[in-house]
Amino acid sequence: MAINTVPLLDLKAQNNYLKKDALKVLKEIISNTSFTRGPYVENFENEFAKYIGVKYAVGVSSGTGGLQLALAALDVGKGDEVILPVNTFISDVYAVLYLSAKPVFADIDPDTFNIAVSEIVNKITKKTKVIMPTHLYGQPAGMDKILKIAKDHNLKIIEDACQAHGATYKTKRVGSIGNMGVFSFYPTKNLGAWGDAGGITTNSKKLATDLKVLREYGESKRYYYEKIGYLSRLDQIQAAILSIKLKKLDAANKQRQKKAVYYNKIFGSEVKQISTPFVLKDSAHVYYQYVIKTPRRDQLVNYLNKHSVQSGIYFPVPLHLQKSLKGLGYKKGDFKIAEKTCQEILSLPIFPELTQNSQDYIINLVKRFFKN
Ligand SMILES: *Cc1c(COP(=O)(O)O)cnc(C)c1O
């Protein structure tokens, strides 16, 4: 079968449909020149809060900025410790370091890829202030147990929901379970803007108010500064695009789930050599990534590549072995499960517009690879 390259994600297909609506709002924003603050930002904040099922959403300039602000709103600083998974995105650690606090890694669960709940308890000290689980790849972390630990030890929870827009845990959407949820709207995410953008969700009026002060220089009244703040705004153009796309998010997530079920079914019965994503009971994975595991990962990447299928590795190196974090003093062997997992994981294409033809093509390649 002749086929063009199958990309890991097709942003063109995803963004074409909204061109008309987008041009209309762009014209309006240009004509009234309210580029930063304004009704599009407020509208999106209200819509997103409602969608996630919380009282407040605060737009920010990126997921990274959101993590930093969320920690700042909890007064995290020097001498405080924050527990986070060792296989997540780098900016989770940086956010902690920006506030002069200490990131403390926990190993991951080899099946769900999320923070190993049993590990969290071992990492708690008198200095621990926050647990920051990531809902990695779109799969909710085990929040019931994390909530219990936080309650027992009087800790706060910041959910990194940057990969899990719309995912549900039991009856709740992620981002509505801890004290705050942080979202990235980077263009490739399940809900993506046309540039950098992010948001923080919370049920606390105090936190929402503080976050709004923190995102604009710590300003309480024009040119009066209450505390040292940041500059991390969501702008009007990004907010307008996000409002248009939010309406399509559930349908797009359903498409991802349908494709995941199809992969699972065929791989589960015909390709025993790989493990397919673990399905947590009572939760809905939104498959930002569809991640399989195989010890022959690198050969499979090459094979797919040779046959014009792109794949991805998130992430190839666990955080404790990153050069930029050498100063934290971790070494190889400290997180054995994450180290092994990073060598075996592979993301296959799963975007909503992936055609049946392309998915069958990928599946057949994987089958053929393991027959040899
Ligand atoms: C994308 C991402 C971030 C950072 O978001 P940006 O908007 O790129 O700053 C943080 N954590 C996770 C898990 C992510 O996937």
Side-chain angles (χ1 to χ4, degrees):
M1 177 167 57
I3 194 154
N4 296 327
T5 299
V6 184
L8 190 57
L9 174 68
D10 186 355
L11 277 182
K12 260 196 194 135
Q14 194 199 102
N15 282 288
N16 263 339
Y17 73 82
L18 57 82
K19 245 186 211 156
K20 215 173 112 215
D21 290 343
L23 288 176
K24 209 172 94 197
V25 294
L26 283 181
K27 269 190 195 149
E28 194 183 310
I29 293 169
I30 291 166
S31 71
N32 68 25
T33 68
S34 56
F35 295 113
T36 51
R37 303 171 198 82
Y40 286 106
V41 174
E42 277 169 36
N43 277 347
F44 174 69
E45 287 176 336
N46 292 335
E47 290 163 2
F48 194 65
K50 199 167 153 216
Y51 176 82
I52 295 299
V54 291
K55 290 191 186 134
Y56 311 97
V58 178
V60 291
S61 60
S62 67
T64 305
L67 291 165
Q68 188 178 2
L69 253 61
L71 289 163
L74 294 174
D75 284 320
V76 169
K78 207 172 162 65
D80 294 328
E81 294 179 0
V82 176
I83 298 174
L84 72 167
V86 73
N87 184 27
T88 184
F89 188 56
I90 189 84
S91 59
D92 291 58
V93 200
Y94 286 170
V96 177
L97 293 172
Y98 295 154
L99 287 149
S100 308
K102 184 181 167 190
V104 175
F105 291 128
D107 211 340
I108 59 166
D109 180 292
D111 296 322
T112 67
F113 304 118
N114 278 321
I115 193 165
V117 175
S118 56
E119 275 258 303
I120 297 175
V121 183
N122 300 332
K123 305 286 175 181
I124 293 174
T125 71
K126 276 203 196 93
K127 295 177 178 169
T128 308
K129 197 155 180 179
V130 177
I131 308 171
M132 208 158 76
T134 298
H135 305 296
L136 197 68
Y137 310 141
Q139 168 95 293
M143 292 308 293
D144 275 356
K145 287 181 183 153
I146 296 174
L147 282 168
K148 169 97 173 49
I149 295 169
K151 191 160 176 244
D152 290 348
H153 298 266
N154 197 21
L155 306 173
K156 302 286 193 227
I157 299 172
I158 298 173
E159 298 172 66
D160 178 343
C162 290
Q163 301 193 354
H165 317 70
T168 55
Y169 179 81
K170 311 247 159 125
T171 58
K172 290 182 164 176
R173 288 210 197 272
V174 303
S176 71
I177 304 165
N179 299 83
M180 281 173 277
V182 176
F183 291 84
S184 165
F185 305 121
Y186 185 74
T188 63
K189 310 280 169 154
N190 283 24
L191 178 60
W194 281 0
D196 282 310
I200 306 170
T201 48
T202 184
N203 277 312
S204 157
K205 186 172 183 180
K206 180 177 186 311
L207 285 173
T209 308
D210 289 351
L211 288 166
K212 283 183 183 171
V213 170
L214 285 166
R215 79 174 162 184
E216 288 193 281
Y217 322 106
E219 191 176 61
S220 51
K221 199 167 81 179
R222 202 78 175 118
Y223 303 122
Y224 289 82
Y225 307 100
E226 202 174 294
K227 50 177 115 180
I228 295 177
Y230 302 82
L231 177 61
S232 186
R233 280 188 296 245
L234 174 67
D235 70 62
Q236 286 258 90
I237 293 176
Q238 302 309 334
I241 300 299
L242 288 167
S243 283
I244 297 169
K245 288 177 93 176
L246 179 60
K247 294 187 184 73
K248 316 258 181 191
L249 177 60
D250 280 342
N253 281 343
K254 275 215 181 79
Q255 284 299 317
R256 290 174 186 268
Q257 287 162 344
K258 222 176 94 190
K259 287 165 212 302
V261 168
Y262 189 64
Y263 271 139
N264 286 346
K265 196 176 120 218
I266 299 181
F267 290 154
S269 60
E270 297 180 44
V271 193
K272 305 280 188 212
Q273 296 94 329
I274 60 178
S275 53
T276 55
F278 189 82
V279 180
L280 263 188
K281 228 180 108 213
D282 300 328
S283 79
H285 193 320
V286 291
Y287 297 99
Y288 171 61
Q289 301 292 335
Y290 181 86
V291 180
I292 59 167
K293 259 196 314 187
T294 164
R296 295 177 63 200
R297 193 264 314 273
D298 292 343
Q299 295 102 296
L300 179 57
V301 170
N302 289 337
Y303 185 78
L304 291 172
N305 229 338
K306 215 173 76 192
H307 293 89
S308 306
V309 171
Q310 290 180 353
S311 56
I313 300 168
Y314 306 104
F315 298 94
V317 179
L319 292 174
H320 69 294
L321 300 178
Q322 293 289 351
K323 210 166 162 189
S324 69
L325 300 176
K326 231 171 41 196
L328 296 178
Y330 290 105
K331 61 181 186 310
K332 203 166 176 192
D334 283 346
F335 300 99
K336 293 206 172 63
I337 296 171
E339 288 170 26
K340 181 161 183 282
T341 302
C342 286
Q343 287 171 6
E344 298 186 342
I345 45 177
L346 184 65
S347 295
L348 297 178
I350 194 155
F351 52 94
E353 302 80 7
L354 179 71
T355 62
Q356 182 75 53
N357 248 352
S358 295
Q359 196 178 6
D360 284 330
Y361 176 70
I362 297 163
I363 289 169
N364 285 327
L365 282 176
V366 173
K367 281 203 261 187
R368 237 195 295 151
F369 173 81
F370 283 103
K371 278 212 184 95
N372 300 327

